[in-house]
Amino acid sequence: MAMAEIIESRLNEAFAPRALEIVNDSSRHAGHSGDDGSGESHFTIHIASDAFAGMSRLERHRAVHTALGDLTHRIHALALKIEA
């Protein structure tokens, strides 16, 4: 299963988002530090969920990282855009 599909599955399960977009930015970083050659090392995630209501920006980021679990060790760069 592709990394984006795994990310999507975990975020859907954890947050039941109203909107979710996962962008694989890895090709823009080919040859840079952190590029492992897999083509699945850099991602941008846009997510909107009622589950984030009342959370600070830091709490939202921590919640996403918790939901992704061990994937955060396999992803070099992760940009998050999170809305309640």
Side-chain angles (χ1 to χ4, degrees):
M1 185 180 292
M3 181 67 71
E5 292 172 335
I6 298 169
I7 292 170
E8 180 179 16
S9 175
R10 291 193 184 183
L11 295 178
N12 277 325
E13 183 178 320
F15 303 111
R18 292 186 311 279
L20 177 60
E21 179 184 12
I22 300 162
V23 179
N24 185 338
D25 297 318
S26 301
S27 64
R28 295 178 42 210
H29 300 277
H32 295 178
S33 176
D35 173 33
D36 62 4
S38 70
E40 297 190 321
S41 58
H42 296 70
F43 291 90
T44 298
I45 296 172
H46 301 237
I47 184 170
S49 173
D50 294 337
F52 298 120
M55 290 185 183
S56 69
R57 181 175 182 217
L58 180 59
E59 290 169 328
R60 292 174 184 187
H61 281 245
R62 285 180 177 160
V64 168
H65 279 261
T66 297
L68 295 178
D70 64 318
L71 296 182
T72 59
H73 298 290
R74 297 169 45 194
I75 298 171
H76 176 71
L78 183 62
L80 298 175
K81 298 177 183 179
I82 307 170
E83 300 174 35

